Amino acid sequence: MRRRTISRAIASLLTAALTLTACTTGTKPAPHPRSSSAKTPATALAAAANRLKADSFTMTMTVKIDTTDAVVVGAMDAAKKAGAFTVTTTRNGATSINEWRILGGTVYRKSEAASAPRNATRPWRRINQADAPALAASFDGATMAGPLTRATGVQRTSDTHFTGSLTTTAVVDALSLPTPATSANTSLAPTVAFTADLDEQGRLIRYHLDIPRRNGTTYPLELTYAKFGQDVSVQPPPADEISGAPGL
């Protein structure tokens, strides 16, 4: 049941409004060796995805479903489990924004969605403590890239460009998406094709997926990573701006 709650939180950015604001200051060196051409394509890709677990980075995720466009922009320090994001969703011409701040096992949300309850003096809400850790992981770019460590049929079409397949269940789990339902006339594809790009230091800078839908079609989702090693400074909202009733 908890996973279903988390899925609703992430899925809502596709149909309502989520926003996360990145607070970053300064940079720190990230001395990583260049990617070895001796690695197999699958090994090089998995190594790039795994490096996100110990690095800090900025991240952008874009999603488009019919008349809904969502953009997630933020920064994450995977080792410190600290991040801040802005999610902007435009649906049928109407735009809504949510902000999220993640500090370890504590997550805060401020919504500007018309459908969300608001408190002018206390706009931030603390997420239920039982749900917060899983929700924080759902926004972690390293978790999102996790399926690439188990990709199959990986090919390196250039020094930095990769293609291959991921299992649909791995993608749904890593991105905290609702499990796509199937009808009597529609069979869900067992795999999802992807493309991915690394930089010259062997770090993952982009990957693209076409996510299965319940009607048998797909929708595009793309993640990009940049500014590796940048300091990520996230502060909790002021205490007098946090409402007393937690919730999603």
Side-chain angles (χ1 to χ4, degrees):
M1 293 299 294
R2 188 169 298 164
R3 190 63 178 175
R4 191 181 300 276
T5 300
I6 301 307
S7 295
R8 286 201 302 268
I10 302 300
S12 63
L13 76 84
L14 308 179
T15 55
L18 303 181
T19 290
L20 316 158
T21 304
C23 309
T24 60
T25 58
T27 59
K28 57 185 179 183
H32 293 298
R34 297 174 67 88
S35 177
S36 172
S37 59
K39 293 180 179 178
T40 67
T43 300
L45 185 62
N50 278 325
R51 281 170 63 169
L52 293 172
K53 296 178 182 178
D55 212 341
S56 61
F57 48 82
T58 59
M59 184 186 80
T60 300
M61 181 173 74
T62 58
V63 183
K64 181 175 179 61
I65 302 180
D66 300 330
T67 59
T68 299
D69 294 275
V71 180
V72 181
V73 178
M76 188 80 191
D77 187 319
K80 295 180 180 178
K81 299 187 184 304
F85 299 85
T86 298
V87 185
T88 303
T89 304
T90 302
R91 187 181 188 190
N92 295 323
T95 298
S96 57
I97 297 174
N98 277 239
E99 294 183 43
W100 296 79
R101 295 184 188 179
I102 301 164
L103 295 97
T106 304
V107 179
Y108 302 92
R109 176 193 179 192
K110 181 171 72 172
S111 176
E112 295 182 11
S115 59
R118 302 189 198 185
N119 184 320
T121 58
R122 295 179 179 268
W124 289 91
R125 297 172 70 86
R126 183 182 290 107
I127 302 303
N128 292 319
Q129 192 63 33
D131 293 327
L135 181 57
S138 298
F139 283 109
D140 182 3
T143 299
M144 294 178 178
L148 294 177
T149 65
R150 304 181 298 278
T152 58
V154 181
Q155 296 185 33
R156 193 174 206 156
T157 60
S158 72
D159 285 347
T160 58
H161 187 71
F162 297 74
T163 63
S165 298
L166 309 172
T167 64
T168 300
T169 53
V171 170
V172 168
D173 184 63
L175 298 175
S176 295
L177 300 170
T179 302
T182 58
S183 68
N185 298 320
T186 303
S187 178
L188 186 66
T191 61
V192 179
F194 74 87
T195 61
D197 294 283
L198 310 187
D199 66 9
E200 292 184 350
Q201 284 71 47
R203 299 173 298 199
L204 181 67
I205 57 174
R206 170 192 168 274
Y207 86 103
H208 176 95
L209 299 166
D210 290 306
I211 308 296
R213 297 180 66 184
R214 62 172 57 91
N215 61 4
T217 63
T218 62
Y219 63 87
L221 182 150
E222 184 164 297
L223 290 115
T224 58
Y225 303 91
K227 297 184 179 179
F228 301 98
Q230 176 169 288
D231 288 338
V232 177
S233 177
V234 182
Q235 301 297 323
D240 59 1
E241 294 184 12
I242 303 173
S243 62
L248 293 175

